[in-house]
Amino acid sequence: MFAIIQSAGWPIWPLLIASVIGLSLIIERLIYLRRRRILPPQLLSEVIRVYQRGKVTSEVIDELEQNSPLGQVLAAGLRNVDAPREVMKESIQEAGQGTAHKLERFLTSLGTIASLAPLMGLFGTVIGMIEIFASQDAAGINPAQLAHGISIALYNTGFGLAIAMPALVFYRHFRALVDSFLMDMEQQAVKFVDIVHGVREQ
């Protein structure tokens, strides 16, 4: 592996750094963006049950807020449970925006790596081409320098694509996952508001 890095020349180092950062972001998002963690299955029914029994206290709301992103949204609704419907919906929307920001964290960075890696590989290719042209002098072609230039060009192109492809796949996957989470969260929040205001019977 070290021999490959040596053959690829110095342009490979930014690509290696980008690959480490990209892999770290993918692992972190895989751990964080789990459905049971974001949208606990029975949380809405438990919150409705607590509300209907009249056991809503500040301690219960604080505990709910620490439970999950969905808990943060429902906790905002519970804090305004006695307010008019529009006020309650507005507080839930504000909490939802904050939750969306947390769910989308690092996705921009991952998308940037997916877009930038091929360009970094292309930059290495250009450096390799410069090496190739520099291998020609009045005495002829220097085979060692020519081979080194070809190695730089090919390895950097390959590394750039190898980093960009999985980064792009995971970026698209996480974007779709976050969108589905936010849609489910919105549906559950609307159901909660309707039940609180008696529009929908449980």
Side-chain angles (χ1 to χ4, degrees):
M1 183 65 181
F2 186 69
I4 293 176
I5 293 174
Q6 279 187 318
S7 299
W10 65 265
I12 200 70
W13 290 106
L15 280 168
L16 290 176
I17 293 170
S19 69
V20 171
I21 295 172
L23 182 61
S24 302
L25 295 180
I26 289 170
I27 292 173
E28 191 276 340
R29 290 288 88 184
L30 282 173
I31 293 172
Y32 183 79
L33 293 175
R34 290 174 294 170
R35 180 166 290 274
R36 294 185 66 86
R37 178 174 182 168
I38 306 300
L39 302 166
Q42 304 301 322
L43 186 61
L44 178 60
S45 58
E46 291 174 6
V47 171
I48 292 172
R49 194 159 47 245
V50 168
Y51 166 73
Q52 289 176 338
R53 291 177 180 174
K55 295 182 178 179
V56 178
T57 63
S58 58
E59 290 80 10
V60 169
I61 294 175
D62 291 339
E63 184 179 347
L64 176 62
E65 199 168 30
Q66 300 299 320
N67 179 277
S68 62
L70 175 61
Q72 294 175 4
V73 173
L74 296 178
L78 278 181
R79 280 202 176 90
N80 296 275
V81 78
D82 295 324
R85 181 188 182 90
E86 291 305 316
V87 174
M88 187 178 179
K89 285 183 68 175
E90 187 175 335
S91 65
I92 286 177
Q93 287 173 352
E94 290 176 359
Q97 289 172 356
T99 300
H101 180 71
K102 291 180 182 178
L103 295 181
E104 293 170 352
R105 186 175 54 177
F106 302 137
L107 293 191
T108 301
S109 301
L110 186 59
T112 300
I113 290 173
S115 302
L116 193 59
L119 296 178
M120 294 167 70
L122 181 61
F123 174 73
T125 303
V126 172
I127 298 298
M129 297 300 292
I130 292 172
E131 288 271 343
I132 290 171
F133 287 121
S135 68
Q136 302 178 9
D137 54 23
I141 296 176
N142 183 339
Q145 193 172 1
L146 176 63
H148 183 61
I150 293 173
S151 295
I152 291 176
L154 294 180
Y155 278 128
N156 280 278
T157 302
F159 267 92
L161 293 175
I163 293 167
M165 288 186 289
L168 182 60
V169 168
F170 277 103
Y171 170 75
R172 298 281 189 182
H173 168 69
F174 291 142
R175 286 282 349 158
L177 201 60
V178 168
D179 289 343
S180 70
F181 286 159
L182 292 175
M183 185 176 297
D184 288 350
M185 206 175 293
E186 182 180 355
Q187 289 174 350
Q188 294 194 44
V190 169
K191 181 179 179 181
F192 179 60
V193 171
D194 288 347
I195 288 174
V196 166
H197 288 274
V199 174
R200 180 182 299 160
E201 294 183 2
Q202 190 179 4

